[in-house]
């Protein structure tokens, strides 16, 4: 069935290091993917998105990589800061963004050690 | 520019009661979607509304319902509450009928006792 999963439930990194959060998806029809950050007591906050016609997209300190061959998505955070500590979710839209139905992964908790 | 506003922020209800949650989207946004977030199941899609019409529904029992008004504000209702309905209920709005530009509110924390 359709599912989005995360390889690592928790990730601890040193401040200043780069972080990589991974995600697997199973629906080959999905063509739109989003990474969200959720801090305690808040709703998910958009970080970056990518469409399936792209392999890589960069934002400010973040990069998303998409490997359609193995149905894998990753989020790279450069120079991780304490403010990056949060739970990160990947999400896919199996209908190409045409409807508001996102399938979310379980989440990875990122802890940044000062 | 105000974000997505959900009220109330916290709610405690007794099993068997019903509850109504409210969501005010970002001004100009016409699409509203609802999600349930629990530690065990994560974020799960409930339903989506666009221009007062339900366009998509997740795999939840009929006790969960919703609606959207002409000003794009949305409400969701849960009847005959069960302990397992305790969750964070999140609303997201989008300016169009697509998920691009999806913005979430801070949610309503529902506790059923």
């Amino acid at each position: 069935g359709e599912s989005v999963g995360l390889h690592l439930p928790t990730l601890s990194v040193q401040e200043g290091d780069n972080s990589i959060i991974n995600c697997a998806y199973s629906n080959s029809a999905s063509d739109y993917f989003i990474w969200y950050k959720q801090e305690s007591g808040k709703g998910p906050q958009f970080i970056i998105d990518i469409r399936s016609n792209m392999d890589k997209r960069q934002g400010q300190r973040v990069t998303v990589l998409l490997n359609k061959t193995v149905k894998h998505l990753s989020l790279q955070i450069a120079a991780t800061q304490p403010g990056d500590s949060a739970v990160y979710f990947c999400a896919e839209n199996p209908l190409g963004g045409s409807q508001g139905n996102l399938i979310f992964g379980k989440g990875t908790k990122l802890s940044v050690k000062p | 520019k105000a974000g997505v506003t959900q009220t109330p922020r916290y709610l405690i209800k007794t099993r068997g009661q019903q509850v109504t949650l409210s969501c005010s989207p970002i001004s100009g946004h016409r699409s509203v979607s609802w999600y349930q977030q629990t530690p065990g199941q994560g974020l799960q899609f409930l339903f989506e509304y666009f221009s007062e019409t339900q366009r998509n529904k997740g795999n939840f029992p009929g006790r969960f319902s919703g609606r959207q008004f002409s000003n794009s504000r949305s409400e969701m209702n849960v009847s005959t509450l069960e302990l397992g309905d305790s969750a964070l209920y999140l609303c997201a709005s989008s300016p169009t009928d697509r998920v691009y530009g999806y913005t979430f509110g801070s949610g309503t924390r529902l506790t059923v006792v």
Side-chain angles (χ1 to χ4, degrees), chain A residues 46-60:
Chain A
F46 173 90
I47 301 172
I48 192 168
D49 59 2
I50 188 168
R51 302 189 190 190
S52 60
N53 60 353
M54 303 173 69
D55 297 323
K56 178 180 179 179
R57 189 160 188 234
Q58 289 182 293
Q60 187 176 9

Side-chain angles (χ1 to χ4, degrees), chain B residues 13-17 19 35-42 44 46 59-61 63-64 76 78-89 109-113:
Chain B
K13 288 288 188 179
T14 303
R15 194 170 39 178
Q17 288 186 314
V19 66
Y35 288 81
Q36 181 195 65
Q37 184 174 27
T38 61
Q41 298 299 318
Q44 292 185 291
L46 279 158
N59 188 26
F60 279 83
R63 299 185 297 106
F64 291 81
M76 68 163 282
V78 187
S79 63
T80 318
L81 284 165
E82 301 177 358
L83 297 179
D85 297 332
S86 295
L88 179 67
Y89 290 88
R109 172 73 63 183
L110 171 65
T111 302
V112 182
V113 297

